[in-house]
Amino acid sequence: MIRLLTVIGARPQIIKAAAISRAVKEHFRGQIEEKILHTGQHYDANMSQVFFDELGIPAPDYNLGVGSGSHGVQTAKMIAGIEEVLISEHFDGIILYGDTNSTLAGAVAASKIHIPVFHIEAGLRSFNMTMPEEVNRIVCDQLSSICFSPTQTGVDNLKREGFIDSQAKFKNGKGRLVINSGDVMYDNSMYFATLAEQKSDILTRLGVKSNDYILTTIHRPNNTDDSERLTNILSSLLSITERDGITLVLPLHPRTRNLLDKNLNAAVYEKLMNSPLVKIIPPASFFEIIVLEKNARIVMTDSGGVQKESFFFERPCVILRPETEWVEIVEHGAGIIANADPKLIVEAYDKLIGIKPVFPPLFGDAHAAEHILQKINEYLS
Ligand code: UD1
């Protein structure tokens, strides 16, 4: 029996891990045993526990409870905690997701004691080294035995960094392997879409109708911590809602909530808080966000996950960042990069509202988790 340790910590990783845990249970019983370690990077109930409940993920076997802190302090505590678990229990491999500090910590801890690292959502690049995520994902990819990329773009990025994408060559000796596995987030979105609509009454609670609101999320530090960017984004959104009489639904990440009154221009803050067209809500659960994405007229976000889920549910997306890792969304005209530029934000909104973009199947076959576990099983057997 192969023993794998899955490391999660931040909200999107908990969601991604659900697809792997489900595939272990349904397809690899008796072959793979999975244990879950939660670093505690996200700890509020609506940033963590709610996803375990909704997605049926087993409770973590280990919880490091590291909480928030500077990058160095937070990551260091995680490395120490993960190393201790890896040493005291016998694991054959570690599964890591995405690009957070929890991912980085898992990669450093495991590779130093020669435990194979399997990186899910590998190969993505923003080519912006000021993003902590870019640093985390590059280091994790470099330390991985197998990189599982959700897209062909990710495979191409890693091939340029010396990875090989041929299993035959990999078996013959050296090298690091990259595989286009498809996206575990796509697995989950397809698996839970119908159930989410049955279980969540979020549209009724908010009093919004399908196709009649903008969904926005903002949580990236370069937007929340920079007063000018935050003000530009939110004032542009307010001007669109006022001009078109369209509602704005804004689930707020705790980082954004904590910085809003400090970093947002006072007049814009007042308007945002008092506009009848703006619905500010706490961080959404997975079912809630799926329903909100599926029914939005348009999505405007700085989140990578929300960009992608909008695409899965065939909703156009304005990207509130200077670049994106999900370049195929932009290449296919389903998303436009508007950064935090008021003119570009309004132009992107107007353009996407007026067209019907195409949403080709770019993110796999909704069985990425099974493909990933099959490869890990072969590699470790
Ligand atoms: C982290 C990831 C980011 C991912 C995001 C998903 C890193 C470097 N960044 O960013 O890639 O897109 O998760 O949400 O790992 N906080 C709470 N309660 C919580 C968690 C956080 O109040 O449960 C607040 C704290 O003030 C904390 C801040 O949010 O300092 C930021 O949390 P942190 O985990 O450091 O980074 P995220 O912005 O969530």
Side-chain angles (χ1 to χ4, degrees):
M1 176 91 96
I2 287 169
R3 296 191 78 228
L4 297 175
L5 182 69
T6 286
V7 172
I8 55 177
R11 172 170 65 175
Q13 293 169 326
I14 303 169
I15 298 167
K16 288 165 199 164
I20 290 287
S21 296
R22 194 168 61 242
V24 169
K25 212 161 63 191
E26 290 175 4
H27 302 282
F28 294 88
R29 210 182 268 277
Q31 295 177 72
I32 293 177
E33 184 190 10
E34 184 200 25
K35 298 274 180 196
I36 296 178
L37 181 149
H38 193 325
T39 61
Q41 178 171 351
H42 287 171
Y43 42 85
D44 288 349
N46 57 17
M47 296 290 287
S48 178
Q49 187 58 43
V50 65
F51 303 104
F52 285 88
D53 299 341
E54 281 184 346
L55 283 79
I57 311 166
D61 302 277
Y62 315 94
N63 198 324
L64 304 181
V66 300
S68 302
S70 70
H71 286 276
V73 168
Q74 189 183 51
T75 312
K77 283 186 190 164
M78 292 176 191
I79 294 175
I82 296 168
E83 182 187 63
E84 201 178 312
V85 170
L86 287 172
I87 288 174
S88 64
E89 308 276 326
H90 175 77
F91 285 103
D92 301 301
I94 190 167
I95 299 187
L96 304 170
Y97 299 88
D99 53 22
T100 73
N101 290 344
S102 300
T103 317
L104 173 68
V108 173
S111 58
K112 291 261 181 154
I113 51 175
H114 315 301
I115 292 183
V117 174
F118 303 107
H119 187 199
I120 297 180
E121 211 177 67
L124 304 179
R125 296 290 180 267
S126 64
F127 303 101
N128 175 357
M129 286 297 280
T130 66
M131 286 177 72
E133 291 81 5
E134 184 76 352
V135 177
N136 293 345
R137 59 171 86 100
I138 288 175
V139 174
C140 185
D141 283 343
Q142 293 299 325
L143 298 178
S144 295
S145 294
I146 306 183
C147 282
F148 293 100
S149 172
T151 59
Q152 189 52 42
T153 310
V155 172
D156 296 341
N157 287 338
L158 286 180
K159 280 171 75 180
R160 276 196 298 275
E161 292 178 23
F163 284 73
I164 50 173
D165 65 345
S166 148
Q167 191 121 26
K169 276 197 214 152
F170 182 62
K171 266 192 186 141
N172 290 340
K174 304 162 242 114
R176 292 160 304 156
L177 182 64
V178 51
I179 289 171
N180 184 347
S181 56
D183 194 331
V184 290
M185 279 185 66
Y186 185 53
D187 295 15
N188 277 333
S189 291
M190 295 304 105
Y191 188 86
F192 286 110
T194 309
L195 187 64
E197 292 212 290
Q198 287 162 1
K199 294 265 179 181
S200 173
D201 62 352
I202 182 95
L203 300 187
T204 319
R205 269 192 286 131
L206 292 177
V208 291
K209 290 201 182 66
S210 184
N211 252 323
D212 211 14
Y213 60 90
I214 302 168
L215 172 66
T216 291
T217 72
I218 306 164
H219 80 285
R220 295 271 165 203
N222 75 327
N223 284 335
T224 57
D225 302 4
D226 180 329
S227 175
E228 195 184 336
R229 288 182 66 91
L230 190 65
T231 300
N232 279 347
I233 291 172
L234 286 166
S235 61
S236 310
L237 291 169
L238 279 170
S239 74
I240 293 169
T241 61
E242 277 168 12
R243 188 195 65 185
D244 291 2
I246 186 166
T247 300
L248 174 70
V249 176
L250 188 60
L252 275 193
H253 183 287
R255 176 202 287 284
T256 320
R257 183 198 60 213
N258 295 340
L259 290 168
L260 212 54
D261 56 347
K262 182 168 155 251
N263 286 348
L264 189 59
N265 164 292
V268 179
Y269 181 85
E270 278 307 306
K271 244 186 180 176
L272 188 76
M273 292 302 155
N274 296 315
S275 168
L277 288 170
V278 176
K279 315 261 181 198
I280 295 181
I281 57 172
S285 74
F286 186 61
F287 287 176
E288 287 171 346
I289 201 80
I290 280 197
V291 171
L292 287 171
E293 288 160 348
K294 241 183 132 176
N295 290 284
R297 177 93 165 85
I298 187 166
V299 175
M300 303 174 80
T301 186
D302 65 5
S303 154
V306 175
Q307 281 172 49
K308 247 185 330 174
E309 285 164 348
S310 318
F311 187 91
F312 302 158
F313 296 122
E314 308 201 339
R315 292 292 175 263
C317 181
V318 177
I319 300 165
L320 303 170
R321 284 180 45 193
E323 74 283 299
T324 179
E325 299 80 16
W326 306 104
V327 287
E328 20 317 81
I329 296 178
V330 175
E331 281 163 10
H332 284 84
I336 295 178
I337 294 175
N339 201 359
D341 180 325
K343 188 165 168 280
L344 291 182
I345 292 174
V346 177
E347 277 174 11
Y349 171 88
D350 286 342
K351 178 153 187 226
L352 288 170
I353 281 288
I355 57 167
K356 245 193 161 320
V358 286
F359 302 90
L362 299 169
F363 295 93
D365 61 2
H367 294 279
E370 286 149 62
H371 304 315
I372 288 169
L373 289 170
Q374 186 57 42
K375 292 288 175 213
I376 294 177
N377 205 12
E378 284 167 20
Y379 179 82
L380 293 175
S381 295

